[in-house]
Amino acid sequence: MKKYFSLWIIAVFVVVVIASCVQKDDWETPPIQCTNKFPEATMTMADFKAQAPQSGYISIDTDQIFDGYVVSSDENGNFFKTISFQDKPENPTAGLQIEVDRSNNYTDFPVGAHIRINAKGLRLGVDRGVVKIGAVDKTFPIGRIPGVLLNRYLSGVCNGSGLDIVDIKPLELANFKLAQDTQYLNMLVKVPNVQFSVDELGKTYLNYVAGAGVDTSRSMVDASGNTSVLRNSAFSAFGSTLLPEGKGDLTFIVSRFNSSWQMLIRGLNDVKLGGKRFFFEGFDGGNLDNWFTVNVTGAQVWNIQQFGNPKPCVVMNGFAGGNNANEDWLISKPISLQGLSSATVSFDTDVRRDGNPLEVFVTENYTGDPATTVWMPLSAILDPDASAFNTWTNSGDINLDAYVNKNISIAFKYTSTTSAAATWQIDNIRVLGN
C-alpha cells in the first residue's frame, strides 16, 4: 500500500508541475524566420540582360545576383517548364525567362513572387528569338536547370516570415503593334479593345486531333487593325473552352518563336472580352466571306490581291487590255450596331490611274439588289494621288450615330468607262462603337 500510495503522490506532483508551467489555455506557434538564401542583389536585371549577345550565349562564371518578380504561371498548363519574370511589379524595364526542368513551378513561385537569382554557372543568351537563362547543355544552347538544382540559382526573397509576394500591374499598351517589340519580351502587358478574328469564332482555344489537344494559335485583332497570335499549349486546362465573341482587354506575356510574335495567357482570367464586338476587315483570310460582290456591268470584279496596308487587300480594276466599262459593288454582310450609343466607320484607300472616284454608302436594309436598296452616301477622304501605288490614305472617322441600335451594311461602288478605268484598293475597314 505504501508503494502504491507513493506512486500516486509522484503522479499528482508531476501534473501540478506541468500545469503550473502553462500560463494560458492556448499554445503559441513558434515564430517562423524566413532567411534569404542569397545576399543583396549586386546588379539590376537590365544590366544583367544587357550582357546577352545578339546570337548564341555566354557563360556566367562569377556571382551575378539580381532580383525579379514572377509574371508567368504554369497552374493552367499554358507555360511548360519555364518561368517568366520582370524587374519591377509595374512599369518594368526588363524581362527574362529561365528554363527549369520541373513542373508546377507556380506552387513555389506564384505570380508576384519576389525572386533573387545568382546566375553563376548558368548560360545567358538568345534562344529562338528570346533572351533566356538556363543550364549548360550538350544539345541545346540554353538548357533546362534540373529541378533538384534550381535552388542553387533561384530563391524567393523574404518578407518578414514568408515569401514576398506583390501585386503585378500589367503594362498597358495601346495596341498589338506596340507590344511586338523586343523590349517587352517576357513582360506582363495589357492591350484594350481587342477581339478574336471573325474566322476564329465558334472555335475553342485548342484544336483536337483524335481527341487530343495540340498546340494551337488563334488570331486576334485590335481596334486599330493590328493582328497578333494567341498561342495555347496542348496541355492548357482551358483548351476545350469556346473563344469569347466579344471585345475587351487581353492580359498576356509577350513572347516570340524565332521571328513570330506570340501572346501567352496564364489562364482565362487574363481574357476579359465581354463588350460589343467591333467590325474589322483586313482581308487577312484571303477571302471575301464577309462581303457580297455584285457585278452589274463589265467582266472585271472585286478580288483579293497581295498588296494592302499591310497585304493583302481588296482590289477593283476596270483596265484589262484597255479601259472597260464597269459597275461593281462591294457590300458588307450585316454589321450590328445594337447596344451602342455612337459609332464610326473608317478605311484605307489607294488609287492608281485616272478614273471615277470610289463611292461609299450605308444602308440599314440591303435588299440583295443594289438597284432596289435605299443608300445613303458617306463623305470620306479618298487617296488623291493617282500617279503611284502605295499612297494609302485613311478615310477619317465617318459618323454613323444615326444608325446605332440597328444593323447596317457598308458598300463601296466602283465605276469605270471605256475612256478611264482607275484601280482602287481598299484595306483596314473598321466599324467602332461605344
Side-chain angles (χ1 to χ4, degrees), residues 194-211:
V194 305
Q195 63 190 25
F196 285 97
S197 300
V198 173
D199 294 342
E200 304 288 9
L201 298 184
K203 300 178 182 178
T204 56
Y205 281 89
L206 289 182
N207 291 328
Y208 288 84
V209 176

Side-chain angles (χ1 to χ4, degrees), residues 234-297:
F235 301 100
S236 300
F238 49 82
S240 61
T241 304
L242 279 173
L243 301 175
E245 297 187 355
K247 73 165 184 179
D249 298 340
L250 183 74
T251 300
F252 57 95
I253 310 294
V254 180
S255 185
R256 188 168 66 170
F257 185 79
N258 295 326
S259 60
S260 300
W261 291 93
Q262 302 175 341
M263 305 178 292
L264 303 176
I265 58 174
R266 286 89 49 91
L268 295 184
N269 287 335
D270 286 340
V271 185
K272 305 292 186 183
L273 307 183
K276 296 287 184 180
R277 283 183 66 85
F278 56 84
F279 176 87
F280 175 81
E281 179 64 89
F283 304 101
D284 297 320
N287 59 61
L288 292 170
D289 291 349
N290 299 321
W291 301 84
F292 301 108
T293 56
V294 182
N295 174 246
V296 178
T297 303

Side-chain angles (χ1 to χ4, degrees), residues 281-407:
E281 179 64 89
F283 304 101
D284 297 320
N287 59 61
L288 292 170
D289 291 349
N290 299 321
W291 301 84
F292 301 108
T293 56
V294 182
N295 174 246
V296 178
T297 303
Q300 290 72 46
V301 295
W302 287 100
N303 61 97
I304 303 292
Q305 295 289 337
Q306 293 302 312
F307 303 111
N309 185 35
K311 61 184 181 183
C313 67
V314 65
V315 179
M316 179 58 204
N317 179 13
F319 185 91
N323 296 315
N324 297 280
N326 278 270
E327 179 184 334
D328 285 85
W329 291 73
L330 180 69
I331 304 168
S332 73
K333 292 181 179 179
I335 301 170
S336 175
L337 303 185
Q338 300 292 333
L340 300 179
S341 58
S342 63
T344 60
V345 60
S346 64
F347 51 88
D348 298 335
T349 57
D350 186 24
V351 66
R352 181 71 170 89
R353 292 189 295 270
D354 292 332
N356 293 337
L358 193 68
E359 297 177 82
V360 188
F361 300 95
V362 63
T363 185
E364 56 185 277
N365 184 26
Y366 176 51
T367 65
D369 181 354
T372 61
T373 298
V374 177
W375 298 103
M376 293 298 295
L378 297 175
S379 178
I381 301 171
L382 303 176
D383 179 21
D385 187 357
S387 64
F389 283 122
N390 274 328
T391 54
W392 286 96
T393 302
N394 184 260
S395 64
D397 291 333
I398 304 168
N399 191 290
L400 294 176
D401 287 357
Y403 299 93
V404 296
N405 293 311
K406 299 176 181 178
N407 295 327

Side-chain angles (χ1 to χ4, degrees), residues 148-188:
V148 295
L149 299 180
L150 181 60
N151 64 358
R152 179 183 296 180
Y153 307 102
L154 186 154
S155 179
V157 176
C158 295
N159 178 14
S161 61
L163 177 64
D164 184 27
I165 302 176
V166 301
D167 291 331
I168 302 294
K169 182 178 180 181
L171 184 65
E172 297 192 21
L173 301 174
N175 54 57
F176 287 146
K177 185 176 181 180
L178 291 175
Q180 294 172 355
D181 192 303
T182 55
Q183 67 177 311
Y184 300 125
L185 283 169
N186 285 304
M187 292 184 187
L188 185 69

Side-chain angles (χ1 to χ4, degrees), residues 109-123:
F109 304 107
V111 172
H114 185 182
I115 60 174
R116 185 164 293 159
I117 291 174
N118 186 341
K120 183 178 180 180
L122 299 179
R123 286 177 176 175

Side-chain angles (χ1 to χ4, degrees), residues 48 60 62 64-66 117-123 133 153:
F48 175 80
I60 308 299
T62 61
Q64 296 190 18
I65 304 172
F66 58 92
I117 291 174
N118 186 341
K120 183 178 180 180
L122 299 179
R123 286 177 176 175
I133 53 176
Y153 307 102

